Amino acid sequence: MRNTLIVVILLAVSGLTGGCNGIKPQNRTVTATIANASTHELNGVRFECSGRYLRAGILSPNIDATIFDVSWPTATDVKVTFIDRQTRRPYSISISLVSVNEQVQAGKCHHVTIRILDYNKAEAVCE
């Protein structure tokens, strides 16, 4: 009986510490900045990913908004949406996060900047 109990305990402990099968990698947290690097006044600026949003509100040219302790998504394609404040026209820009995600998940990047460059161009970079 004692030997059986020892074997059961050893199996339980090795099952808890022996492998990572079935364990999902946790999202890392970063500081995220959404920057308006365009010449346009933008309203309703937000970064959309898998049903989650980071909101930056109104961003004048060369202004940014920083959000701390963001659980960084593992999705590779996201959108930045905004409305031109003067014309009231909405815009949506797709951004690839493949390179940024690799760096964040490797622990090499703790600050991500999403930079809006124009109505149809944006980028995400690690800093």
Side-chain angles (χ1 to χ4, degrees), residues 24-71:
K24 291 183 180 180
Q26 292 185 356
N27 289 356
R28 298 203 181 245
T29 58
V30 300
T31 298
T33 298
I34 301 174
N36 182 1
S38 77
T39 58
H40 313 290
E41 182 119 355
L42 308 177
N43 191 8
V45 179
R46 67 185 189 178
F47 173 72
E48 301 179 16
C49 178
S50 303
R52 293 181 37 218
Y53 304 99
L54 294 179
R55 293 175 182 4
I58 297 171
L59 291 179
S60 296
N62 299 313
I63 298 295
D64 57 51
T66 300
I67 302 114
F68 297 95
D69 293 327
V70 174
S71 179

Side-chain angles (χ1 to χ4, degrees), residues 34-122:
I34 301 174
N36 182 1
S38 77
T39 58
H40 313 290
E41 182 119 355
L42 308 177
N43 191 8
V45 179
R46 67 185 189 178
F47 173 72
E48 301 179 16
C49 178
S50 303
R52 293 181 37 218
Y53 304 99
L54 294 179
R55 293 175 182 4
I58 297 171
L59 291 179
S60 296
N62 299 313
I63 298 295
D64 57 51
T66 300
I67 302 114
F68 297 95
D69 293 327
V70 174
S71 179
W72 193 249
T74 56
T76 55
D77 294 310
V78 297
K79 291 184 186 255
V80 173
T81 62
F82 54 88
I83 299 168
D84 181 277
R85 192 157 182 197
Q86 190 171 26
T87 65
R88 302 281 185 221
R89 185 171 175 199
Y91 293 89
S92 179
I93 306 169
S94 294
I95 302 175
S96 173
L97 294 181
V98 173
S99 174
V100 169
N101 285 351
E102 288 173 1
Q103 294 176 60
V104 169
Q105 293 305 318
K108 297 178 181 177
C109 176
H110 303 286
H111 187 158
V112 177
T113 299
I114 294 96
R115 197 172 288 120
I116 300 167
L117 303 168
D118 206 345
Y119 291 135
N120 61 353
K121 188 172 183 183

